[in-house]
Amino acid sequence: MRLGALEAGGTKMVCAIGDETGRIFEQISIPTETPDITMPKLIAYFEERKVDALGIASFGPIELDREDPKYGYITTSTKKAWIDFDMVGSFACALRCPIGFDTDVNGSVLGEVTFGQAKGKSCVIYLTIGTGIGGGIYIEGNLLHGMLHPEAGHVLIRKRSDDRYAGKCPYHGDCLEGLAAGPAIEERWGKKAVELADRPEVWDMEADYIAQALVGYILTLSPEMIILGGGVMHQEQLFPLIRAKVKEFLGGYIQAKEIEDIEHYIVPASLHDDQGIMGCLELARRAATEK
Ligand code: ADP
Ligand code: ZN
């Protein structure tokens, strides 16, 4: 099958052509401007390449309820020009092929479960910590949608008493994203995150906040693996700090081999940053076979 993959991000659109084995034949990146400018380019790319199905993993929030008249829309995005935009409808109308659609982070977890280190596992979380924080959840063969779709980046956590920073989330102030996404790190410490690499206090606080959230997910969903991606996780020193704090915060309550072997439980992404686009190929395959 000739499958199209679109990772729709707030800053760039990654388009690729591949197949159901996860092979990627070609890939390009187009800046995300307004739908008027960007959509014709995306449609032309996939039209010229005659895809059998398209998988889209998109920034959001998005509407995933197939019964809703706005299924396939971007809903209340912070990208103003894309609010109420009919993403799936626009492609379906032009390409006339099956279209799979999900959140960007659900795409990433699907890539890892189908082609990466999480193959064979039935409950896996992928958390990205970048400009924002988002979580994709794969549970017993499906991507979790529920009422809307998980918004795991906005969970409420305890702010540390030594943290004077108010938090950056426009909705909640000091939720996880408000305290721990890249822009919050940069505003709190007054420097680009990458330039703070040698400041241990920065990463100790960051690990604390991420670990608090992970403990919440562990206790609620009982995942078999947690994958951490996104720009902030390029700070590899975070991994051992997060693992130690997760163990500390669990307080010995959870007895499981995964927690004992926590190096293989809380892990970086495994597909050389292609987990998202490969997840889109699987979304496309699933859409094609559904039909
Ligand atoms: P996006 O979330 O927009 O898709 P990224 O996942 O790359 O993009 O996240 C960008 C954020 O990650 C920036 O806000 C920046 O603060 C942070 N970041 C990027 N690279 C690094 C790095 N090497 N170390 C620490 N933080 C980084
Ligand atoms: Zn929030």
Side-chain angles (χ1 to χ4, degrees):
M1 259 190 297
R2 196 170 165 77
L3 302 174
L6 169 63
E7 220 184 342
T11 50
K12 63 179 196 290
M13 300 282 185
V14 180
C15 308
I17 305 296
D19 68 13
E20 65 276 16
T21 69
R23 266 192 304 170
I24 297 167
F25 306 133
E26 55 171 299
Q27 183 167 324
I28 60 157
S29 174
I30 295 170
T32 304
E33 296 175 79
T34 62
D36 284 358
I37 301 174
T38 309
M39 284 303 294
K41 296 181 190 169
L42 299 177
I43 287 171
Y45 179 85
F46 292 112
E47 248 177 356
E48 281 165 21
R49 285 158 182 83
K50 308 219 179 316
V51 295
D52 299 316
L54 173 66
I56 307 171
S58 177
F59 69 94
I62 59 179
E63 182 55 64
L64 290 173
D65 176 2
R66 285 173 189 266
E67 303 299 311
D68 194 292
K70 290 205 168 165
Y71 168 76
Y73 278 56
I74 292 175
T75 55
T76 56
S77 177
T78 51
K79 298 285 288 183
K80 293 257 155 48
W82 293 83
I83 291 176
D84 250 348
F85 180 74
D86 183 5
M87 189 73 130
V88 170
S90 306
F91 281 109
C93 185
L95 303 178
R96 310 237 156 250
C97 70
I99 294 180
F101 186 57
D102 220 303
T103 63
D104 44 9
V105 276
N106 268 349
S108 294
V109 77
L110 187 61
E112 290 283 353
V113 166
T114 312
F115 305 112
Q117 61 192 336
K119 219 185 243 183
K121 300 210 182 292
S122 78
C123 181
V124 179
I125 298 179
Y126 182 99
L127 194 72
T128 181
I129 303 152
T131 308
I133 301 186
I137 299 171
Y138 182 85
I139 199 150
E140 294 174 350
N142 292 301
L143 295 165
L144 180 62
H145 294 161
M147 166 186 74
L148 178 65
H149 48 71
E151 281 287 354
H154 292 269
V155 293
L156 303 182
I157 54 172
R158 257 187 236 156
K159 192 158 115 173
R160 273 183 18 171
S161 58
D162 61 343
D163 188 4
R164 300 266 164 268
Y165 181 61
K168 208 175 171 54
C169 176
Y171 294 94
H172 320 111
D174 58 2
C175 66
L176 175 66
E177 177 172 302
L179 290 174
I185 300 174
E186 298 182 348
E187 193 166 79
R188 177 190 292 107
W189 302 97
K191 263 192 182 176
K192 288 265 163 223
V194 65
E195 291 163 19
L196 294 161
D198 57 356
R199 297 267 299 274
E201 68 277 24
V202 172
W203 307 108
D204 184 72
M205 183 177 286
E206 181 70 9
D208 193 308
Y209 291 149
I210 295 169
Q212 287 192 50
L214 297 193
V215 165
Y217 312 149
I218 291 168
L219 296 170
T220 311
L221 294 163
S222 201
E224 299 164 282
M225 180 178 267
I226 297 177
I227 302 166
L228 302 178
V232 171
M233 292 310 302
H234 288 143
Q235 293 299 318
E236 287 173 12
Q237 74 260 39
L238 277 170
F239 281 94
L241 293 170
I242 291 168
R243 291 174 186 133
K245 284 178 193 287
V246 163
K247 274 198 155 174
E248 179 193 332
F249 299 161
L250 284 173
Y253 183 62
I254 302 282
Q255 300 288 322
K257 62 180 190 316
E258 286 85 353
I259 304 295
E260 277 166 32
D261 185 22
I262 201 159
E263 280 75 23
H264 297 107
Y265 181 60
I266 298 173
V267 291
S270 68
L271 295 167
H272 314 286
D273 275 339
D274 280 338
Q275 63 280 355
I277 207 78
M278 290 171 82
C280 294
L281 291 175
E282 175 63 9
L283 282 175
R285 188 199 66 79
R286 288 183 175 205
T289 48
E290 219 169 59
K291 196 180 156 232

